[in-house]
Amino acid sequence: MITKKDCLEQVREVIDGVLSTVDEKGNSQSRIIDIMHIDEDTIYFLTARGKNVYKEIINHPQISYVNLKDNKSVRINGIAKKLDDQKKWIDLMFEENPYMNNVYPGESRYILEPFKVVSGEIEYFDLTQKPILRKNFIINDGSISKKGYVITEECIQCGLCAKNCPQKIITEGTPYNISQDNCLHCGLCYENCPVKAIKKIS
């Protein structure tokens, strides 16, 4: 069974991923960024004070990060916070990522600022198995955002949702039930329910 530790270890192993922020005009901005450190609960990264991404995080700390390995993705949505004790964290991250000494040699490393995701959610999504697997984990005092679809008491047990489900994860009942850990969130059941008994969670 996948754990939060497994997700964070994938993030650290892959290192490169896509970090998305919001700029001053409200436009989304994405770039490749390296995750420099993990602990048992969250991720850490660096960026230079002169870069747009630094300003974007300072002004709007809600970020999104995703990476992919062998069709298994880890996505992190949360609040990024600049860390105190800048030199301590930078030296630690450079020790764990020695290639950074070629990018920022010597004292130039201190143009960087360390950040951590202090609150948020981790989502794991595995397309390599059938049915697919989806798991969510909390970072600190974050919360899990509810998504997907549920079948309500208006269900007439016609079975169309189960028949149409590409992952075959809807089971009989009163009402029928969708296995949330295995749902693609594709909406095929929702679109085909004759009595509109399936509701989208958002």
Side-chain angles (χ1 to χ4, degrees):
M1 181 60 68
I2 190 72
T3 66
K4 181 196 287 190
K5 180 180 178 183
D6 295 327
C7 294
L8 292 170
E9 286 179 351
Q10 174 173 317
V11 168
R12 184 67 179 122
E13 181 182 354
V14 174
I15 298 184
D16 294 330
V18 178
L19 180 76
S20 298
T21 55
V22 177
D23 68 17
E24 59 188 7
K25 296 180 180 179
N27 298 317
S28 60
Q29 301 291 338
S30 298
R31 76 282 296 159
I32 300 296
I33 196 165
D34 294 353
I35 298 304
M36 297 289 176
H37 177 68
I38 61 169
D39 59 22
E40 66 280 358
D41 205 45
T42 193
I43 60 172
Y44 298 72
F45 60 92
L46 298 168
T47 191
R49 290 188 295 277
K51 292 188 176 183
N52 288 341
V53 61
Y54 174 81
K55 181 179 179 182
E56 289 159 12
I57 296 172
I58 294 299
N59 291 338
H60 189 94
Q62 182 74 40
I63 62 95
S64 182
Y65 168 87
V66 65
N67 79 9
L68 181 69
K69 178 186 178 185
D70 301 328
N71 285 322
K72 300 171 185 178
S73 68
V74 175
R75 181 169 62 179
I76 298 174
N77 292 317
I79 302 297
K81 179 181 178 182
K82 186 170 73 168
L83 295 168
D84 296 329
D85 204 349
Q86 176 217 30
K87 289 190 175 183
K88 167 196 155 185
W89 286 104
I90 289 176
D91 290 345
L92 170 67
M93 293 186 210
F94 269 63
E95 182 178 343
E96 293 184 3
N97 304 272
Y99 72 91
M100 287 296 293
N101 289 289
N102 296 322
V103 184
Y104 291 97
E107 295 289 306
S108 69
R109 69 173 65 179
Y110 300 119
I111 190 62
L112 299 167
E113 292 289 348
F115 287 86
K116 71 180 286 189
V117 176
V118 295
S119 176
E121 174 185 12
I122 300 171
E123 181 183 55
Y124 177 82
F125 191 56
D126 183 358
L127 285 171
T128 66
Q129 59 183 34
K130 184 134 186 203
I132 62 93
L133 177 65
R134 181 190 300 277
K135 282 290 185 182
N136 297 80
F137 306 94
I138 293 173
I139 298 174
N140 293 320
D141 61 350
S143 61
I144 292 177
S145 54
K146 295 186 180 296
K147 304 172 188 173
Y149 298 85
V150 294
I151 303 175
T152 68
E153 296 298 328
E154 285 74 33
C155 172
I156 58 172
Q157 295 88 50
C158 68
L160 278 176
C161 56
K163 179 181 178 182
N164 285 307
C165 177
Q167 292 291 303
K168 304 303 179 190
I169 50 87
I170 300 178
T171 54
E172 292 184 20
T174 310
Y176 274 46
N177 181 67
I178 300 171
S179 175
Q180 297 299 322
D181 285 349
N182 308 107
C183 180
L184 284 169
H185 298 173
C186 69
L188 195 57
C189 60
Y190 173 81
E191 290 187 359
N192 285 278
C193 180
V195 295
K196 307 300 181 186
I198 301 175
K199 305 299 181 186
K200 181 174 175 59
I201 308 168
S202 57

